Amino acid sequence: MAFAPPAAPSINDRKDRSIRLWGERGQKALEQGHVICLNASVVATEVLKNLVLPGVGKFTIVDNKRVSEKDLGNNFFLDIECVGKLRAESIKR
């Protein structure tokens, strides 16, 4: 018997969970927040992912390094097409 995978949570579901954690005021503050990330390392991109999920509004990524094949196994934002491109540009897409 085949089972359908669970549907991905909608934006409203994610916001609802966030609002239950820190209230409407806290959610609004997150949505208006602006985070600057210096050096898009493995740890930094993991932190960015965890900030994107609850809805932080804006991100600026500053990194002048290029994506290497080594980066692909450590950073879920990147794929093979990113190799040789700037990490900051590749991660923002």
Side-chain angles (χ1 to χ4, degrees):
M1 178 183 280
F3 293 96
S10 71
I11 290 174
N12 288 335
D13 289 341
R14 283 182 280 167
K15 279 189 178 182
D16 179 62
R17 279 186 248 144
S18 295
I19 289 169
R20 283 187 273 146
L21 281 171
W22 38 72
E24 298 263 351
R25 185 174 174 197
Q27 184 63 33
K28 186 173 182 178
L30 276 176
E31 291 171 1
Q32 293 174 347
H34 186 171
V35 174
I36 297 174
C37 173
L38 303 176
N39 185 8
S41 68
V42 174
V43 172
T45 54
E46 193 64 28
V47 170
L48 285 173
K49 176 195 73 167
N50 291 323
L51 293 171
V52 166
L53 292 175
V56 171
K58 290 184 179 182
F59 296 90
T60 299
I61 302 169
V62 180
D63 190 335
N64 64 354
K65 293 182 182 169
R66 297 201 174 266
V67 176
S68 70
E69 287 186 22
K70 179 182 166 189
D71 293 320
L72 299 179
N74 300 321
N75 188 328
F76 72 94
F77 285 113
L78 304 173
D79 58 32
I80 193 73
E81 294 175 9
C82 298
V83 173
K85 297 178 182 174
L86 290 172
R87 281 198 312 202
E89 290 295 319
S90 297
I91 289 170
K92 80 173 189 177
R93 60 180 182 96

